[in-house]
Amino acid sequence: MSKELIDAFNEYLTINKGLSKNSISAYLNDITQFLDFSKKPLLKRDNSDIIEFLSQFENKRTLNRKLSSINRFYDFAKELDFSNIDLKIQSAKIENHLPIYLEHNYIMDKIGDIDIKSWIDLRDRALLLFLYATGVRVSEAVETKIDDIDGAWLRVRFAKGEKERVVPIAKSALIAIELYLRERNDNSPYLFINYKKDKLSRISMFKITKKYLGVSPHILRHSYATALILGGADLRVVQELLGHSSLLTTQIYTHIQKPHLKDTINKYHPLSKKQLYS
């Protein structure tokens, strides 16, 4: 029944609404993802099911896009009398501010202060360097396996939207990971595990970054992107490394770049030299 509903939704978007192929594809992908999230039939789901589904998305813009697709689907179902339920959840408020990030020296100083007494401490240090060196989402870090590291490269297999990407890993992070793995005594395929030798959870990763750096893992992702932009990296390269499907998502970092560019002009451009006005 769910497949027939999605087919009808496709026809509705195409014929009734006359949307573009790209828009229709985006709506169908979101609804299919929502369908696969639970075994409960689509027309028997409620607001709690939607909220549970949306809670896995950290980026508010992505969350709002998924929510928009879900709202449109249930509007369609009600309009065509497939259902009389009225599911409407307000979109997440997106504040217009710069992403929070940590300075490189602060991160490295805090990581350097970790007192290494056990393999757990080695894991914590390796995890912090891994997050900062790769910019991966916490959901991707959780699913990373040891075999996903090939030399100095990380294959992100469980990326958002199931888009695989490859990112380089800094040498310092690789060394920390090697030291940590050397002290582990288990057969788990996952890169980061807990003391029970089970896969480390998102909550545990949050607790680790909060303990040592006072922030969530997502702030390390911002710090990674910010360091690249301020270092002069091309925005499209950063987009690929972060796994953003749209350049619009990456462009938030251009606001960070502007003061840096102004300082560069003031320092190096001849028209900014004081002697020109003497």
Side-chain angles (χ1 to χ4, degrees), residues 17 44 46 78 96 114 125 129 141 144 193 213 221:
K17 297 299 181 181
K44 292 193 175 181
D46 54 27
K78 189 174 183 181
N96 186 23
I114 298 176
R125 182 175 66 182
L129 284 168
T144 299
I193 59 174
L213 298 174
R221 178 169 163 84

Side-chain angles (χ1 to χ4, degrees), residues 33-34 37 47-60 62-64 66-67 70 89 92 138-139 160 202:
Q33 191 177 5
F34 179 51
F37 182 74
N47 283 342
S48 63
D49 297 312
I50 298 174
I51 292 172
E52 184 180 358
F53 168 71
L54 295 175
S55 66
Q56 65 184 311
F57 303 106
E58 297 172 348
N59 186 291
K60 289 184 179 180
T62 301
L63 185 154
N64 283 343
K66 303 288 183 186
L67 178 57
I70 292 171
I89 298 177
V138 65
S139 58
K160 204 171 183 180
R202 292 172 57 136

Side-chain angles (χ1 to χ4, degrees), residues 12 16-17 74-83:
Y12 170 82
N16 294 47
K17 297 299 181 181
Y74 284 111
D75 284 344
F76 141 79
K78 189 174 183 181
E79 183 178 331
L80 273 66
D81 294 326
F82 289 122
S83 170

Side-chain angles (χ1 to χ4, degrees), residues 127-137 140-141 154 156 165 167-170 173 177 220-221 224 228 241-242:
L127 173 62
L128 295 174
L129 284 168
F130 175 81
L131 291 171
Y132 181 44
T134 62
V136 297
R137 301 176 179 91
E140 295 166 345
L154 170 69
V156 187
R165 69 184 189 278
V167 298
I169 310 176
I177 290 170
L220 279 175
R221 178 169 163 84
Y224 167 82
L228 292 175
L241 291 171
L242 292 175

Side-chain angles (χ1 to χ4, degrees), residues 58 102 106-107 110-111 114 123-132 136-138 141 192 200-221 223:
E58 297 172 348
L102 301 177
Y106 175 84
I107 295 172
K110 289 295 183 181
I111 292 176
I114 298 176
R123 178 206 64 191
D124 292 352
R125 182 175 66 182
L127 173 62
L128 295 174
L129 284 168
F130 175 81
L131 291 171
Y132 181 44
V136 297
R137 301 176 179 91
V138 65
F192 296 108
L200 200 64
S201 68
R202 292 172 57 136
I203 294 176
S204 294
M205 287 191 179
F206 178 88
K207 288 180 178 178
I208 292 169
T209 58
K210 194 73 174 175
K211 174 183 177 181
Y212 294 107
L213 298 174
V215 298
S216 71
H218 202 65
I219 300 303
L220 279 175
R221 178 169 163 84
S223 303

Side-chain angles (χ1 to χ4, degrees), residues 187-198:
N187 296 317
S188 174
Y190 290 99
L191 180 58
F192 296 108
I193 59 174
N194 59 27
Y195 70 97
K196 293 181 179 180
K197 307 302 174 71
D198 295 326

